[in-house]
Amino acid sequence: MGHVQNRILTTAAKASTVARSTLPQFPPKDALFTRRKLPSTAFVPETWASIQPPPPSALSAFAHRIGLPSVLDTNEIILQACTHPSFLRPYRRQYPDAPAPETNAQLAPLGNALMGLFASEYLHAKYPYLPTRVLKAAVTAHVGPLTCASVAQEMGATPLLRWHRTVRALPKTPTDPGLLHSDAMASIPRSIAALIYQRRSLLSARQFVHSYFLSRQVDLRAMLKFSNPKKALLEMVDKFGRERPKSRLLKETGRFTNSPVFVVGIYSGADQLGEGFGSSLRMAEYRAAEDALQRVYLTRTPDHLIQLPTSTFPVGLGDVFRTDAPEGKYTAPSLVMSEIMYLSSGKRKPLRIYGVETGKEQTPA
Amino acid sequence: MSAPRLLRAQLRSKPANGHVAFIPHIRKLVFEYCDKWPSSAHTRSFLLTRLQSLARQNPHVEVVVKQRHHKEPIVRGFYANSRDKVIPLNSLEVSAIQRKVDLLLDSSGAKIKPLKRRTVESTTEATRGIWSGLHADRPSI
């Protein structure tokens, strides 16, 4: 299908359809011509349709689809979770006298904070050796805006979302789009997490986040990027107090042909740390060093040994800090060797020091 | 070799529906029938007898009934991937209509691809590993 047809379909999918059975009167009063002293603004059917609420059957079906009919028991609360604060503007323009609808402006940031908490504690417990930058990127991959928007779309919340595409009055860049559809969609699962926290407990909200977000597939290997894996491995091995790494050629085939294959293993004494292949000796050694680092960084705690700090909160409804309920069991895991600081500040070039008197630059020893 | 940057706004995860929690793909089922024409007779009978129990057993589906005058009856399923499937009901009896509705309820909404020419697709690595001649034992006679 061509680009134009795709765009038409996606626009049509995002446009709202109004169920006539849910309307008290059709055609709506605003659409009919009435003689008024003051002229009123023209009636735009698309704007009117985008303001109408989705049918109640769609809202209750949504609650059942995500397995939360007991928590999201009223249609009003589901509608509140699906209403982005940008929706207030077109609503007030159409119905200036009507009471403002409830939005998820307060629920979404609360849910976002809870999701960040649950994701970071879980990923830190699951991958104790992961570098900090990669851990932060992994948290974003699991509960970030794109994933939240994707989860909302899989839940079938696209026709339920009430929002308005607002362009910024003072754009940050010339091509700043303002509010994105994905950001508005992302607010829905965050609001649901916040609602579960408010109506049930923190541990129930944690269960929701674990089921829908932390079970998704994220490729952590692609997030680990090394500019000099041999040097990083050398520093790591020194930190662990082992012998210096030595690379040895294990197998080779096709040397001096157009498709050689070398298999290099990198050893610390008698222990093999990593193995890599390549069409050149240096490439194979590079991959072996990368493999050794990945084997350490991607070490995973088995599921039955994962201890989460939020498990100390008492089970049941009520304030998590109440003293009458017993605390959950938690045995602190042993501290692991801290990450290698090589190039961890994010800067690629080494620090340069400029001498005051001579004006020449000196690199640190 | 310089390390390319991780752009936070592009970080995402892939779905794993069913690994822990399962979200059914179907979200809405729309029955369109005609009040007068005989081609909709079985559909009308289905709507009068079996529709309510169907809606009760599938609370995750929004069931809509619409009139479509002087046209053949259809059932349309709307899915979470924003696609829809349409099945005409004009030559089907009530039990066959039930089977078609079950087909729509179980479907994911994805386009039907022919299975014969496709290669194996997987998001995870091979569980048995990929054979490597350089790592296997040398053949011995």
Side-chain angles (χ1 to χ4, degrees):
Chain A
M1 231 197 310
H3 167 73
V4 174
Q5 285 93 331
N6 274 329
R7 281 299 300 267
I8 290 170
L9 274 181
T10 51
T11 317
K14 285 175 189 168
S16 52
T17 54
V18 184
R20 203 194 140 164
S21 54
T22 60
L23 297 171
Q25 183 192 12
F26 190 78
K29 267 188 187 169
D30 313 327
L32 302 170
F33 173 75
T34 50
R35 206 178 288 276
R36 288 200 190 95
K37 284 184 185 169
L38 295 164
S40 57
T41 51
F43 177 76
V44 182
E46 287 85 13
T47 318
W48 173 86
S50 65
I51 285 167
Q52 301 313 307
S57 52
L59 297 167
S60 69
F62 172 71
H64 278 96
R65 214 177 304 125
I66 56 178
L68 301 168
S70 50
V71 179
L72 307 171
D73 43 7
T74 56
N75 285 338
E76 287 79 29
I77 201 74
I78 306 170
L79 199 56
Q80 183 185 355
C82 296
T83 306
H84 194 263
S86 62
F87 178 70
L88 286 175
R89 205 195 215 183
Y91 188 88
R92 283 213 186 98
R93 213 182 300 140
Q94 187 85 15
Y95 305 116
D97 304 321
E102 299 274 346
T103 67
N104 62 18
Q106 290 189 327
L107 293 171
L110 170 60
N112 190 28
L114 285 168
M115 285 162 83
L117 163 71
F118 299 138
S120 36
E121 70 166 359
Y122 179 74
L123 288 172
H124 182 72
K126 195 172 170 193
Y127 298 102
Y129 289 89
L130 211 59
T132 311
R133 283 177 71 236
V134 182
L135 177 65
K136 286 163 84 173
V139 169
T140 306
H142 275 105
V143 293
L146 285 181
T147 300
C148 287
S150 184
V151 167
Q153 198 234 328
E154 284 157 34
M155 285 175 174
T158 319
L160 306 176
L161 173 70
R162 297 203 295 172
W163 74 305
H164 182 65
R165 190 183 295 277
T166 42
V167 180
R168 276 193 237 273
L170 294 167
K172 290 177 191 171
T173 64
T175 52
D176 186 10
L179 178 67
L180 292 170
H181 179 76
S182 64
D183 291 332
M185 287 286 284
S187 67
I188 297 178
R190 289 171 180 160
S191 317
I192 293 169
L195 282 169
I196 300 170
Y197 166 67
Q198 284 177 347
R199 291 171 162 228
R200 294 288 183 270
S201 64
L202 184 111
L203 295 176
S204 307
R206 187 180 79 174
Q207 182 58 44
F208 170 76
V209 173
H210 277 237
S211 312
Y212 284 99
F213 292 90
L214 299 176
S215 59
R216 290 170 74 92
Q217 290 180 351
V218 171
D219 188 13
L220 287 181
R221 202 176 290 266
M223 292 185 193
L224 286 168
K225 298 167 194 285
F226 311 101
S227 60
N228 195 343
K230 283 178 68 181
K231 188 166 176 184
L233 180 64
L234 174 66
E235 293 191 357
M236 177 189 284
V237 163
D238 282 342
K239 206 156 195 174
F240 278 102
R242 286 168 155 245
E243 288 182 42
R244 297 217 130 182
K246 184 162 170 55
S247 46
R248 297 196 172 97
L249 179 65
L250 300 174
K251 293 273 174 70
E252 62 161 305
T253 177
R255 199 190 282 244
F256 304 123
T257 66
N258 74 337
S259 50
V261 178
F262 300 100
V263 177
V264 168
I266 206 155
Y267 289 81
S268 168
D271 312 315
Q272 185 176 10
L273 302 175
E275 191 177 294
F277 69 96
S279 56
S280 68
L281 286 163
R282 287 187 204 201
M283 196 68 226
E285 194 181 13
Y286 188 98
R287 283 209 180 96
E290 269 191 333
D291 181 45
L293 288 167
Q294 281 168 0
R295 276 170 194 276
V296 175
Y297 286 144
L298 297 174
T299 305
R300 236 176 75 171
T301 320
D303 288 337
H304 65 280
L305 294 176
I306 287 179
Q307 295 269 335
L308 298 172
T310 46
S311 300
T312 54
F313 288 134
V315 180
L317 301 173
D319 180 26
V320 290
F321 298 110
R322 62 187 187 275
T323 47
D324 53 343
E327 265 190 19
K329 239 177 41 171
Y330 176 74
T331 47
S334 55
L335 290 175
V336 300
M337 201 73 70
S338 61
E339 62 183 281
I340 304 302
M341 298 309 290
Y342 173 67
L343 284 187
S344 63
S345 65
K347 295 187 186 124
R348 288 195 212 145
K349 293 184 184 170
L351 181 66
R352 293 184 190 280
I353 300 168
Y354 287 88
V356 176
E357 285 142 6
T358 59
K360 285 183 196 165
E361 56 181 68
Q362 302 161 352
T363 52
Chain B
M1 182 174 160
S2 63
R5 278 188 224 149
L6 279 173
L7 298 169
R8 286 290 164 80
Q10 288 178 2
L11 290 168
R12 49 162 23 111
S13 58
K14 289 194 182 140
N17 200 12
H19 283 208
V20 180
F22 177 67
I23 307 174
H25 296 101
I26 185 159
R27 58 175 184 85
K28 186 157 77 168
L29 213 54
V30 179
F31 292 89
E32 296 182 26
Y33 73 101
C34 174
D35 242 349
K36 286 194 186 140
W37 279 15
S39 55
S40 292
H42 291 299
T43 311
R44 289 194 294 269
S45 158
F46 176 89
L47 293 175
L48 288 169
T49 53
R50 299 217 194 169
L51 187 70
Q52 279 207 23
S53 60
L54 173 88
R56 281 213 180 84
Q57 278 158 24
N58 299 287
H60 57 277
V61 184
E62 184 194 352
V63 178
V64 177
V65 176
K66 277 167 82 166
Q67 283 214 36
R68 199 159 166 253
H69 297 294
H70 306 152
K71 290 272 191 302
E72 308 294 322
I74 60 159
V75 62
R76 199 186 287 261
F78 291 87
Y79 297 90
N81 61 357
S82 66
R83 289 191 78 245
D84 67 334
K85 285 169 89 101
V86 184
I87 298 181
L89 305 173
N90 49 353
S91 55
L92 302 174
E93 300 207 355
V94 175
S95 54
I97 294 175
Q98 178 69 52
R99 280 200 297 274
K100 291 296 182 190
V101 168
D102 289 337
L103 191 158
L104 287 180
L105 289 172
D106 295 335
S107 172
S108 74
K111 215 168 168 181
I112 296 173
K113 285 187 207 171
L115 291 172
K116 305 224 165 143
R117 289 189 305 272
R118 288 160 67 200
T119 53
V120 172
E121 296 165 13
S122 177
T123 49
T124 50
E125 294 168 3
T127 47
R128 293 168 64 191
I130 308 287
W131 182 83
S132 160
L134 290 166
H135 292 89
D137 297 329
R138 296 296 298 156
S140 59
I141 300 167

